[in-house]
Amino acid sequence: MNHDTICALATANGIGAIGIIRISGEQSFEIVNKIFQGKNLEKADSHTIHYGFIVDGKIQDLVTDNQQPTTDNQETIDEVMVSVFRAPKTFTAEDSVEISFHGSPHIAKKILEVLIKNGARMAKAGEFTMRAFMNGRIDLSQAESIADLIASENESSRKVALNQLKGGITNEISFLRTDLLNFVSLVELELDFAEEDVEFADRSALNQLLDKIETKLDSLIESFQYGNAIKNGTAVAIIGKPNAGKSTLLNALLKEERAIVSNIAGTTRDTIEEILHIKGHAFRLIDTAGLRDTVDEIEAIGVKKAKEKVENANILVYLADAATEDFSEDIEMIKSLMRDDLKLIICATKIDEVSPATYEKVENIFRSEISDDFDFIKISAVENQNIQDLKNELSSYVEQLKSQENNVVITNQRHFEALGKSLDAVSKVKEAIVTQISTELLAYELRNALEHLGEISGEVTNDEVLGNIFSKFCIGK
Ligand code: GDP
């Protein structure tokens, strides 16, 4: 149990109308009282908000209501509103205070300084959320979902994170874990009666439960592919010969949402990605450096460069100029780029320049030369023809990853790994039953399975795992 009272800026560090500093711990009211001219917070009801001033310099011994900021030896820092939250119904489950001040980073710094001078200490990264976990208000997967919720940039990631915050994954597995725990107790009881050769734990019922757990784990693990698409976006590479219309298409795709388009600068200009949102899903357009700027595109893109681009992509959008005649290079390029786990969309571009008969012919050429299953879309980026079809095709890729029966989606690598380990452990237990190994070993394997299942919610955890999770949070979370 940590008795320090911690403080940190909870809002983004920058200028805003309002900034919020959060304070949590046993001495929250006592410390803020020393610097707050306004209501005596020790007497304030929970979940109430109070007007006053933050001052530097000791407030007179007796803190009374409605003090005015006039004392000579005090410097008034800001006019604020202070919210009071009494344990246990608070974010951290501890006494907490939030100071809403005029959103200047300088004021934030000054208020934090006086809080520290009066007995608080700066919170470490993720410490507020860690306290919420340590104090049993939320489990570990919920703590992680808070970070995901704050990081969510689109509808799907927001929804999945919120579902997780409500206990999604833990609800899915906790009752199975409880059933398994009952069996462990029975098997361990058998150990106490080892000499009498009794069997308290019905092996066939145990097997049934293990089957149920396996099915659940399988479907959760399967959801990770969709979860990953939600959390990290689906990677799309746009490839084609020079002048195929790549930059024109890119501009057409990004046109409507220029306002929310962001550039994610990678280590070099070569890895610039642009984010496209379609139906709430995020698509990362890989390495679009140069595409926006046609001058850079004079040189032909070599197979090696194209391979690098496609390497981390989920979808390859290959553009072929329908107004040209020879597609042998395109076909060769596509063949050399394809892999089993890459979705291929071939777009015949510039269809406004050719007759329908011509682009039908183009489709036939590709269909006869390329055996891979692919979608063929005829577009004109200049006339905005069928761009929506391409967008639909992209979003349907993500949609079909969504599992039908599972509402809970795994987005977290740690959960994914723990589920995989649980699945291994469960199959070991099943094997142990079949081979009728000793009850001792069976109990060991069962414990192992329980432990991995418990890792997700944090029922079983260690300092290293916790440190790793919370250090990724920013300060103030
Ligand atoms: P990139 O080299 O693959 O990026 O090709 P660009 O997007 O720069 O396009 C090359 C040329 O084709 C430019 O002059 C574009 O205006 C033209 N272009 C691109 N898309 C279309 C289209 O759909 N229809 C027509 N008529 N011209 C297009």
Side-chain angles (χ1 to χ4, degrees):
M1 190 66 183
N2 203 326
H3 295 289
D4 289 355
T5 293
I6 53 174
C7 62
L9 180 65
T11 41
N13 196 6
I15 293 174
I18 294 171
I20 295 175
I21 284 173
R22 179 142 76 169
I23 300 112
S24 180
E26 278 173 8
Q27 290 177 286
S28 294
F29 304 139
E30 190 189 323
I31 292 171
V32 179
N33 253 347
K34 290 190 205 161
I35 64 165
F36 180 58
Q37 277 183 322
K39 190 176 174 72
N40 178 357
L41 301 181
E42 304 264 17
K43 291 186 194 158
D45 289 335
S46 186
H47 296 76
T48 55
I49 185 159
H50 306 278
Y51 170 81
F53 293 85
I54 296 293
V55 296
D56 186 7
K58 193 167 159 35
I59 292 183
Q60 304 314 304
D61 287 347
L62 189 65
V63 181
T64 55
D65 288 359
N66 300 319
Q67 296 165 91
Q68 294 304 311
T70 50
T71 321
D72 289 344
N73 63 347
Q74 292 167 358
E75 185 197 358
T76 304
I77 295 175
D78 194 15
E79 182 189 35
V80 298
M81 297 297 289
V82 168
S83 308
V84 172
F85 303 99
R86 291 190 181 277
K89 287 197 169 174
T90 76
F91 179 73
T92 52
E94 302 171 339
D95 282 345
S96 308
V97 174
E98 283 178 13
I99 302 174
S100 304
F101 57 94
H102 293 106
S104 131
H106 174 68
I107 295 175
K109 188 165 159 273
K110 289 207 64 142
I111 296 177
L112 287 170
E113 273 168 12
V114 289
L115 282 167
I116 289 162
K117 203 153 83 179
N118 284 282
R121 74 158 166 81
M122 273 304 284
K124 296 187 198 116
E127 196 168 2
F128 290 94
T129 315
M130 185 156 176
R131 286 188 175 195
F133 166 67
M134 290 298 197
N135 294 328
R137 196 184 68 77
I138 51 174
D139 72 34
L140 200 52
S141 71
Q142 288 173 311
E144 290 168 311
S145 72
I146 293 173
D148 289 346
L149 206 50
I150 294 171
S152 68
E153 286 183 342
N154 56 52
E155 270 305 274
S156 341
S157 56
R158 179 189 67 81
K159 280 186 193 154
V160 168
L162 195 64
N163 190 23
Q164 186 87 328
L165 183 62
K166 289 182 183 162
I169 181 171
T170 312
N171 292 343
E172 290 282 308
I173 49 180
S174 73
F175 70 96
L176 294 172
R177 190 172 180 269
T178 309
D179 286 352
L180 195 60
L181 192 60
N182 288 337
F183 272 104
V184 177
S185 315
L186 291 173
V187 170
E188 284 176 352
L189 198 61
E190 287 175 15
L191 290 176
D192 293 341
F193 292 86
E195 271 143 46
E196 285 156 56
D197 195 24
V198 285
E199 209 174 87
F200 295 117
D202 177 346
R203 300 300 193 258
S204 81
L206 175 57
N207 238 329
Q208 273 175 17
L209 174 66
L210 293 168
D211 283 344
K212 228 161 99 180
I213 295 176
E214 242 175 11
T215 310
K216 177 59 50 190
L217 293 177
D218 271 335
S219 85
L220 285 171
I221 288 171
E222 205 174 277
S223 75
F224 187 60
Q225 210 190 351
Y226 176 60
N228 219 8
I230 289 176
K231 195 168 178 177
N232 301 319
T234 301
V236 180
I238 302 177
I239 306 270
K241 292 203 294 193
N243 278 330
K246 298 180 292 298
S247 55
T248 313
L249 172 66
L250 181 71
N251 286 328
L253 284 172
L254 297 174
K255 191 158 55 191
E256 292 144 40
E257 55 172 308
R258 188 129 305 160
I260 51 167
V261 163
S262 49
N263 283 315
I264 301 171
T267 44
T268 67
R269 184 160 173 269
D270 277 357
T271 58
I272 283 178
E273 290 180 355
E274 292 204 60
I275 307 287
L276 171 69
H277 289 96
I278 305 171
K279 296 185 188 166
H281 304 304
F283 293 85
R284 289 183 288 115
L285 304 175
I286 299 177
D287 188 9
T288 49
L291 283 194
R292 303 296 287 275
D293 176 4
T294 39
V295 181
D296 281 7
E297 275 297 295
I298 296 162
E299 275 181 55
I301 166 170
V303 175
K304 185 165 170 276
K305 182 92 195 330
K307 274 205 167 136
E308 277 168 24
K309 272 178 90 157
V310 171
E311 198 175 356
N312 297 315
N314 306 103
I315 302 177
L316 163 61
V317 175
Y318 191 90
L319 305 194
D321 185 344
T324 57
E325 306 254 303
D326 182 5
F327 297 99
S328 54
E329 272 177 36
D330 300 287
I331 288 161
E332 205 180 302
M333 175 79 101
I334 293 171
K335 282 183 177 167
S336 72
L337 293 178
M338 279 314 290
R339 349 172 273 266
D340 285 349
D341 60 343
L342 183 68
K343 178 187 167 77
L344 172 63
I345 301 175
I346 300 178
C347 290
T349 62
K350 310 189 191 178
I351 58 162
D352 55 296
E353 283 189 346
V354 296
S355 67
T358 309
Y359 54 72
E360 292 303 337
K361 202 175 82 196
V362 175
E363 175 164 7
N364 288 337
I365 294 173
F366 280 100
R367 293 246 175 251
S368 62
E369 292 288 332
I370 293 171
S371 54
D372 296 291
D373 195 16
F374 61 90
D375 295 290
F376 194 88
I377 304 173
K378 299 136 193 161
I379 60 166
S380 164
V382 166
E383 296 195 349
N384 205 19
Q385 278 187 61
N386 304 342
I387 301 297
Q388 191 56 45
D389 289 355
L390 175 58
K391 287 189 174 181
N392 292 345
E393 203 50 56
L394 291 174
S395 79
S396 77
Y397 168 84
V398 181
E399 291 295 328
Q400 51 92 26
L401 294 177
K402 207 193 284 186
S403 160
Q404 297 308 315
E405 65 247 49
N406 228 334
N407 290 327
V408 175
V409 177
I410 302 301
T411 56
N412 184 304
Q413 184 71 30
R414 188 185 72 82
H415 299 175
F416 177 68
E417 281 165 19
L419 289 168
K421 283 190 235 159
S422 308
L423 194 62
D424 282 351
V426 166
S427 76
K428 280 208 180 114
V429 177
K430 284 178 81 173
E431 218 178 282
I433 296 174
V434 174
T435 55
Q436 295 186 322
I437 58 164
S438 70
T439 311
E440 256 160 349
L441 278 173
L442 178 63
Y444 169 81
E445 297 292 6
L446 275 167
R447 279 266 163 220
N448 204 11
L450 264 185
E451 210 160 283
H452 289 308
L453 282 173
E455 276 174 19
I456 295 167
S457 62
E459 281 160 286
V460 180
T461 189
N462 62 49
D463 288 350
E464 195 189 337
V465 172
L466 289 183
N468 197 10
I469 291 170
F470 290 103
S471 64
K472 289 192 191 117
F473 279 56
C474 50
I475 294 188
K477 249 187 236 170

